[in-house]
Amino acid sequence: MAEYEPVLLKRINNPDSTSLAGYLADGGYEGLKKALAMAPADVANYVKDSGLRGRGGAGFPCGLKWTFLPKDHPGPIYLCVNADESEPGTFNNRILMEKDPHQLIEGIAIACHAIRSQNAYVYIRYEYGGSYRAMKKAIEECYAQGILGGNVLGTGAKLDIVLHRGAGAYICGEETGLIESLEGKRAWPRIKPPFPAIEGLFRKPTIVNNVETLCCVTQILKLGSEWFKSIGVPPDPNNPRDAGSYGPKLYGISGHVNTPCCVELPMGVTARELIEKYGGGVWKGRKVKAVIPGGVSMGFLTADELDTPLDFNGPGKRGCLGLGTAAVVVIDDQTRIVDVLYNLARFFSHESCGQCTPCREGTSWMTRILERMRTGRGRKEDLDLLLEVAGSIGIIPGTTICGLSDGAAWPIKNAVNKFRAEFESYIESGESSVTSAQELMQLSH
């Protein structure tokens, strides 16, 4: 089988990959010209027919999402681009913005035409200084050349793009939390319905799309919906709810590997292939204990589950929450799962917005229980207590507004179920994995 040729990352090593001149020389904005010659509804249907599913974590069909906007709405209609990328282990969007910003801008322009929007907001995390500067320069180039502004490519269409820098809050990755932050308020997710497509930014119809999703839109208009659908994994005929996992995907590989990297491959590559072929294998000659398949909220694959295909269905069949952002984090066999889980629990407890009591209190209690385990004071009944707390918070049991608590609870449930023997052995030993006096002092408080 021939090696896959990258499309989304094709230009990133070009010396002029960030400039408008370089992008135009490589056929840039031809997809936008094609879209502008089509009716907005036809563009939406074209993307819908491609089978593109959102790359931000949920995997919802992109074109279908666009059709949820109210018909014949007088406007304004807004597009919000989620460039917050705050899921630990994830760095796909940063590369696209830093190395090929015009690909994203073209995708934004195509999407805005499809949804009849004249205003797009790119919500970008503050820590992404390089991404912000690259995007800012590219947007300025587009205004100067008439690709943005009041007469897009001479068609009379209008489009303005505004960059908005967030303050580094994980909760802003949730679409309504992002919208609240854009409006200058505390990023508390909204109760739904109404969904953003009906009442979003400034209480107007709004579509929220991820950076990688919009870059895929650029390639779909350039290369065709059939091309996109020829890549990846078709729907499972035995699962009527499966919409397929089509197209290329960016996979981040980090953790205990020799070569951390971001690679573009067809959907459905296995975790084993990513680690061995692209990540250079596990570092220090060690073996895999666990793999996080798509950002820390997804849970864990064990060493026996490395041949799981990383598409929208594969991780779920192994007890994970889903594919997520396809940020693969490798954990070696010398690392305690209790330490990994403590780090994850502490992160989610810190990042909970505090609006929903089950999330605010549940994430804190899970962290405290794991703290006690790490200092050698754990009890076997703590494992069942962790499962009870984790099973009582989140959208899935219907106790919270957003999915942060699901993301916090899932790795707890997943790890305790898959590595219970290791937890029990650790508790029985009375061993402490706290290695420094400074950390012990922090835990005691």
Side-chain angles (χ1 to χ4, degrees):
M1 183 180 293
E3 286 286 319
Y4 173 76
E5 294 185 11
V7 175
L8 299 173
L9 300 182
K10 180 179 180 179
R11 304 184 62 256
I12 64 169
N13 292 319
N14 293 356
D16 57 353
S17 69
T18 63
S19 72
L20 177 57
Y23 191 67
L24 291 174
D26 292 333
Y29 293 105
E30 291 301 319
L32 176 58
K33 291 177 183 177
K34 179 179 176 180
L36 292 172
M38 300 165 63
D42 291 339
V43 177
N45 285 329
Y46 195 72
V47 172
K48 183 179 176 182
D49 291 343
S50 74
L52 170 63
R53 294 172 64 175
R55 275 25 182 177
F60 194 83
C62 177
L64 179 61
K65 189 177 191 179
W66 292 354
T67 66
F68 291 163
L69 292 165
K71 301 295 186 291
D72 302 319
H73 191 279
I77 295 171
Y78 297 110
L79 175 69
C80 291
V81 182
N82 188 344
D84 193 55
E85 194 163 54
S86 48
E87 181 73 15
T90 310
F91 46 91
N92 306 345
N93 296 343
R94 176 180 64 81
I95 292 170
L96 292 170
M97 289 186 287
E98 286 185 4
K99 301 296 186 180
D100 197 359
H102 285 282
Q103 181 181 201
L104 172 57
I105 294 170
E106 184 171 8
I108 292 171
I110 293 167
C112 284
H113 175 66
I115 68 175
R116 297 178 293 113
S117 172
Q118 297 181 356
N119 298 277
Y121 292 85
V122 181
Y123 190 100
I124 186 168
R125 67 183 294 106
Y126 194 84
E127 294 91 335
Y128 277 9
S131 300
Y132 172 78
R133 289 185 288 273
M135 287 294 296
K136 184 173 184 291
K137 181 180 178 181
I139 289 170
E140 290 171 350
E141 287 181 311
C142 287
Y143 273 109
Q145 295 299 317
I147 296 170
L148 296 176
N151 186 22
V152 175
L153 294 177
T155 63
K158 298 179 181 179
L159 177 58
D160 289 305
I161 297 179
V162 176
L163 286 177
H164 180 96
R165 303 185 78 177
Y170 177 78
I171 196 64
C172 291
E174 196 278 337
E175 60 180 11
T176 59
L178 181 153
I179 288 169
E180 287 284 296
S181 180
L182 266 175
E183 292 180 353
K185 295 179 286 187
R186 180 181 292 187
W188 275 8
R190 297 176 182 174
I191 294 174
K192 300 178 282 288
F195 291 91
I198 303 299
E199 188 176 298
L201 185 63
F202 308 127
R203 302 295 169 180
K204 298 296 182 182
T206 303
I207 293 294
V208 182
N209 283 142
N210 162 266
V211 168
E212 186 182 341
T213 306
L214 291 168
C215 288
C216 285
V217 167
T218 297
Q219 300 303 328
I220 288 167
L221 266 291
K222 182 179 179 181
L223 300 173
S225 60
E226 290 301 317
W227 160 81
F228 192 83
K229 214 165 187 177
S230 70
I231 301 169
V233 182
D236 181 353
N238 298 316
N239 182 1
R241 300 183 63 183
D242 180 18
S245 301
Y246 294 117
K249 182 74 189 76
L250 301 188
Y251 293 90
I253 309 167
S254 62
H256 298 155
V257 291
N258 288 309
T259 314
C261 61
C262 178
V263 295
E264 178 187 341
L265 294 165
M267 293 281 279
V269 64
T270 66
R272 187 182 305 278
E273 184 179 355
L274 282 173
I275 295 167
E276 294 179 357
K277 185 174 181 180
Y278 300 97
V282 184
W283 71 347
K284 301 179 181 179
R286 298 176 181 175
K287 297 180 180 179
V288 172
K289 174 180 283 188
V291 172
I292 297 170
V296 299
S297 59
M298 294 298 107
F300 302 89
L301 297 172
T302 67
D304 295 331
E305 297 169 336
L306 295 184
D307 292 315
T308 301
L310 298 184
D311 57 21
F312 288 114
N313 274 344
K317 294 178 180 178
R318 297 292 182 265
C320 294
L321 188 56
L323 176 65
T325 58
V328 176
V329 183
V330 179
I331 300 157
D332 71 26
D333 60 352
Q334 301 299 308
T335 302
R336 295 184 180 93
I337 286 294
V338 66
D339 293 335
V340 176
L341 208 57
Y342 167 69
N343 282 339
L344 305 193
R346 183 176 60 169
F347 170 80
F348 285 112
S349 178
H350 180 271
E351 294 299 327
S352 172
C353 76
Q355 184 178 191
C356 303
T357 302
C359 179
R360 181 184 68 245
E361 300 300 321
T363 54
S364 176
W365 277 110
M366 290 190 296
T367 303
R368 293 182 194 183
I369 292 169
L370 288 162
E371 282 179 355
R372 188 167 67 230
M373 284 187 190
R374 293 186 70 236
T375 55
R377 296 177 292 124
R379 309 164 303 180
K380 284 190 177 180
E381 53 264 38
D382 286 339
L383 299 175
D384 292 323
L385 185 56
L386 279 172
L387 292 175
E388 181 183 348
V389 175
S392 303
I393 62 176
I395 289 178
I396 294 175
T399 62
T400 59
I401 292 172
C402 89
L404 184 146
S405 46
D406 294 283
W410 208 272
I412 298 285
K413 293 185 284 190
N414 181 284
V416 171
N417 286 325
K418 291 188 176 184
F419 298 97
R420 188 166 189 127
E422 179 180 329
F423 279 104
E424 290 178 347
S425 176
Y426 178 79
I427 291 169
E428 287 174 354
S429 72
E431 187 179 353
S432 172
S433 60
V434 180
T435 57
S436 69
Q438 181 180 6
E439 185 181 4
L440 185 60
M441 186 178 296
Q442 290 172 343
L443 293 179
S444 67
H445 288 80

